[in-house]
């Protein structure tokens, strides 16, 4: 039996239940296999006297047809209780519409069901499928939406039975206190395990059961193929799938943007713009947009023609990057874990920083501009905003003494900057006004 992991979203669900008190349905969206159905069922068991789950991916046509006519809610709700052998209690029960995108009429019925106020309602689904299946229905406004991501680093530590490390690191970060090189190396090795396993619940469960990273790799490959199949469904030409598979190579090329033309023939932006939106909506992919004029309110200055793509889960990213073999063996994983692989892993660290910033609630932005010679570009890997100021972030997998882009950015935009960060693989330090931040502390920004 798969383990049920402690997730931060649970507290937000409790807040919804208390504050909304049945006035809205809760829609949990996210990529496939991140645990939406599991957390919905766990919440129902813990917080209600009874619950009824309709999995529309497996529901019979007869069940789906019940939602064609909802003029008599008494009849509808009674038949559902008989069919699912569950007794619902007014104001003490919840109905879960799992994979609600498979029955658009059930989602449309939410408006009337919520207004009825007898029971609470939770829906789960992937955003891309939900958007594709709403063409002929009225989208309910009576929804509170929450997004479930792969396990973040703290949730991963919880899964390993460690509740202490992250609060201790939070205190260290708040005090800008160095850890000492020996402890920093140990904590970085612990963090690299998270990078390798990733935060997909099945992969974490496999690691806890086997401690065998090659078996974990097989699980991740199955998830990657599932995502690739999903992209083939939304785009039978295979363009979305090819763009998905090319993400590690694109990041490793050190280009200042994702180059469609190097992945697809006739790959111009205007021809794949809808596909890119679909890929972003899948929440399998994270999009970082180029900002032409870095300032607070960065979405006002984003350039839709320049972007980078990351994977929402770095564990999947590593498997995708090494997919040239049928299975990524334990030798490669052990070398990655111990930082002994000769390949430049800067692009892997960039991906995990993107994942952690997104999990912390940031949208992703970056900025590039030509050097004085015009032969190269300066690049700020990520930009976040605080208090009407911006914080430029540079990511490095090794040394820290050279940070030309951060320095050039300071000269250009000094009056807009709150703090400068260089995220890297060593201890917390200060270099003039730059905070040198261990990558495992990214979550505290």
């Amino acid at each position: 039996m798969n383990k049920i992991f402690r997730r931060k979203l649970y507290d937000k669900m409790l807040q919804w239940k208390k504050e909304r008190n049945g006035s809205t349905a809760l829609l949990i969206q996210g990529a496939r296999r991140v645990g939406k159905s599991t957390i919905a069922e766990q919440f129902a068991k813990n917080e209600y006297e009874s619950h009824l789950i309709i999995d529309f991916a497996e529901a019979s046509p007869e069940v789906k047809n019940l939602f064609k006519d909802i003029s008599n809610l008494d009849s509808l709700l009674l038949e559902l209780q008989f069919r699912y052998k569950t007794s619902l209690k007014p104001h003490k029960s919840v109905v879960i519409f799992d994979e609600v995108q498979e029955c658009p009429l059930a989602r449309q019925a939410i408006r009337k069901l919520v207004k009825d106020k007898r029971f609470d309602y939770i829906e789960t689904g992937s955003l891309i499928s939900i958007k594709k299946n709403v063409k002929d229905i009225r989208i309910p406004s009576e929804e509170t939406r929450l997004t479930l991501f792969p396990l973040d680093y703290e949730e991963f530590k919880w899964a390993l039975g460690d509740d202490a490390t992250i609060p201790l690191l939070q205190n260290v970060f708040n005090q800008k206190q160095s850890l000492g090189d020996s402890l920093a190396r140990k904590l970085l090795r612990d963090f690299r395990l998270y990078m390798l396993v990733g935060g997909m619940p099945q992969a974490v469960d496999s690691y806890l059961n086997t401690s065998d990273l090659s078996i974990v790799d097989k699980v991740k490959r199955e998830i990657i193929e599932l995502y690739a199949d999903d992209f083939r469904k939304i785009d039978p030409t295979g363009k979305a799938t090819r763009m998905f598979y090319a993400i590690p190579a694109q990041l490793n090329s050190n280009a200042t943007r994702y180059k469609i033309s190097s992945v697809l023939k006739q790959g111009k932006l205007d021809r794949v713009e809808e596909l890119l939106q679909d890929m972003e909506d899948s929440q399998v992919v994270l999009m970082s947009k180029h900002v032409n004029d870095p300032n607070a309110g960065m979405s006002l200055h984003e350039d839709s023609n320049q972007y980078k793509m990351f994977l929402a889960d770095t564990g999947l990213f590593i498997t995708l990057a090494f997919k040239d073999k049928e299975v990524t063996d334990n030798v490669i994983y052990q070398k990655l874990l111990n930082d002994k692989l000769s390949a430049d892993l800067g692009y892997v660290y960039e991906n995990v920083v993107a994942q952690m910033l997104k999990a912390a609630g940031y949208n992703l932005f970056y900025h590039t501009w030509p050097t004085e010679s015009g032969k190269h570009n300066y690049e700020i890997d990520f930009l976040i905003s605080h208090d009407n100021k911006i914080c430029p972030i540079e990511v490095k997998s090794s040394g820290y003494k050279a940070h030309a882009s951060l320095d050039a950015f300071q000269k250009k935009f000094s009056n807009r900057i709150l703090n400068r960060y260089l995220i890297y693989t060593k201890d917390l330090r200060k270099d003039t006004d730059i905070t040198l931040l261990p990558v495992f502390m990214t979550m505290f920004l």
Side-chain angles (χ1 to χ4, degrees):
M1 181 177 175
N2 290 346
K3 184 175 179 180
I4 295 176
F5 299 111
R6 177 182 168 194
R7 306 300 301 271
K8 294 178 181 177
L9 193 80
Y10 198 99
D11 289 338
K12 295 181 180 179
M13 295 169 71
L14 284 173
Q15 186 179 0
W16 160 78
K17 184 176 185 291
K18 179 181 178 182
E19 293 180 356
R20 296 308 177 104
N21 194 27
S23 63
T24 66
L26 178 64
L27 173 61
I28 304 172
Q29 56 193 27
R32 293 180 68 182
R33 300 289 179 89
V34 293
K36 301 184 299 294
S37 302
T38 301
I39 197 170
E41 183 174 358
Q42 179 192 17
F43 188 78
K45 287 178 177 177
N46 293 345
E47 309 302 332
Y48 294 89
E49 290 189 15
S50 67
H51 64 278
L52 188 157
I53 302 175
I54 306 173
D55 182 353
F56 285 112
E58 299 181 359
S60 66
E62 291 81 9
V63 168
K64 293 181 180 179
N65 287 337
L66 292 175
F67 293 90
K68 287 183 176 179
D69 180 6
I70 59 169
S71 58
N72 187 335
L73 285 186
D74 290 339
S75 176
L76 168 68
L77 292 168
L78 184 61
E79 184 159 353
L80 287 175
Q81 290 174 83
F82 272 114
R83 283 183 177 273
Y84 287 89
K85 300 179 175 62
T86 299
S87 176
L88 297 175
K89 303 176 182 179
H91 312 298
K92 296 179 180 179
S93 299
V94 63
V95 178
I96 298 174
F97 288 173
D98 200 13
E99 303 290 353
V100 71
Q101 72 274 3
E102 300 295 335
C103 186
L105 288 174
R107 187 168 179 225
Q108 181 174 260
I110 282 293
R111 183 171 184 271
K112 188 168 183 178
L113 289 167
V114 166
K115 193 175 181 180
D116 176 65
K117 293 187 176 180
R118 244 177 286 188
F119 312 116
D120 284 358
Y121 294 88
I122 297 175
E123 308 162 88
T124 76
S126 60
L127 181 60
I128 183 170
S129 301
I130 288 172
K131 287 182 68 174
K132 292 292 180 186
N133 290 351
V134 295
K135 185 174 62 174
D136 299 319
I137 72 164
R138 180 178 179 183
I139 305 231
S141 58
E142 296 78 8
E143 283 178 340
T144 297
R145 301 186 186 189
L146 294 176
T147 300
L148 185 64
F149 294 104
L151 274 74
D152 70 13
Y153 187 41
E154 185 169 20
E155 291 170 328
F156 180 76
K157 296 298 276 185
W158 290 342
L160 298 181
D162 179 358
D163 292 353
T165 293
I166 303 304
L168 287 169
L169 285 176
Q170 176 78 70
N171 289 335
V172 169
F173 173 81
N174 291 344
Q175 296 169 20
K176 298 297 183 285
Q177 177 184 348
S178 292
L179 295 156
D181 290 340
S182 176
L183 180 55
R185 280 194 296 272
K186 181 205 177 295
L187 291 168
L188 182 65
R189 189 182 188 279
D190 293 346
F191 181 73
R192 279 199 295 267
L193 177 64
Y194 170 63
M195 293 171 65
L196 294 171
V197 174
M200 301 302 291
Q202 281 179 291
V204 177
D205 190 58
S206 177
Y207 176 75
L208 292 174
N209 290 332
T210 69
S211 298
D212 188 329
L213 290 168
S214 62
I215 293 176
V216 175
D217 187 74
K218 291 178 183 178
V219 172
K220 292 191 291 176
R221 284 171 187 260
E222 291 170 2
I223 296 172
I224 286 170
E225 285 308 307
L226 176 72
Y227 289 163
D229 287 343
D230 285 345
F231 287 136
R232 290 185 192 103
K233 289 175 187 174
I234 65 169
D235 170 42
T237 69
K239 290 178 182 177
T241 305
R242 289 200 295 277
M243 287 190 288
F244 169 62
Y245 280 140
I247 289 173
Q250 287 286 313
L251 287 175
N252 193 36
S253 69
N254 288 321
T256 58
R257 68 182 189 280
Y258 190 105
K259 292 186 176 179
I260 288 282
S261 58
S262 67
V263 180
L264 305 175
K265 292 179 180 178
Q266 300 176 329
K268 293 184 178 179
L269 180 68
D270 57 350
R271 297 179 182 174
V272 295
E273 204 161 2
E274 186 176 347
L275 282 183
L276 287 169
Q277 186 60 57
D278 286 342
M279 292 178 75
E280 186 174 13
D281 287 345
S282 73
Q283 294 171 319
V284 171
V285 167
L286 302 178
M287 302 287 288
S288 181
K289 308 292 178 62
H290 187 274
V291 177
N292 291 332
D293 182 22
N295 215 330
M298 282 178 279
S299 59
L300 300 172
H301 306 287
E302 67 181 49
D303 181 354
S304 59
N305 292 307
Q306 290 192 68
Y307 55 90
K308 289 186 174 185
M309 275 198 275
F310 301 94
L311 256 65
D313 181 74
T314 302
L316 296 182
F317 179 90
I318 288 174
T319 294
L320 196 60
F322 288 94
K323 74 177 181 66
D324 51 334
K325 297 177 69 174
E326 188 173 321
V327 175
T328 307
D329 59 39
N330 264 328
V331 174
I332 290 179
Y333 271 116
Q334 288 303 322
K335 286 185 175 181
L336 281 165
L337 185 60
N338 295 304
D339 203 20
K340 300 295 184 185
L341 202 66
S342 59
D344 177 15
L345 294 181
Y347 64 114
V348 179
Y349 286 102
E350 199 174 337
N351 196 95
V352 79
V353 170
Q355 178 184 347
M356 294 175 85
L357 290 175
K358 188 69 177 178
Y362 293 106
N363 289 323
L364 303 180
F365 300 101
Y366 72 105
H367 180 65
T368 64
W369 72 104
T371 60
E372 291 76 9
S373 67
K375 294 180 180 178
H376 303 284
N377 284 303
Y378 292 119
E379 180 169 354
I380 298 299
D381 296 311
F382 298 101
L383 286 162
I384 60 177
S385 60
H386 285 297
D387 303 325
N388 296 318
K389 296 277 188 176
I390 54 177
C391 301
I393 297 170
E394 193 172 341
V395 181
K396 287 184 176 288
S397 60
S398 53
Y400 63 91
K401 293 184 179 178
H403 34 71
S405 294
L406 278 177
D407 294 340
F409 192 84
Q410 169 75 13
K411 290 179 183 177
K412 194 175 181 184
F413 300 109
S414 59
N415 62 327
R416 304 180 184 182
I417 295 173
L418 180 64
N419 295 306
R420 293 191 290 163
Y421 295 100
L422 190 148
I423 294 177
Y424 74 145
T425 56
K426 298 189 185 302
D427 195 6
L428 194 154
R429 294 187 176 93
K430 291 286 285 188
D431 181 1
T432 62
D433 68 330
I434 298 174
T435 300
L436 307 178
L437 194 69
V439 62
F440 47 80
M441 290 190 184
T442 303
M443 61 195 301
F444 306 131
L445 293 177

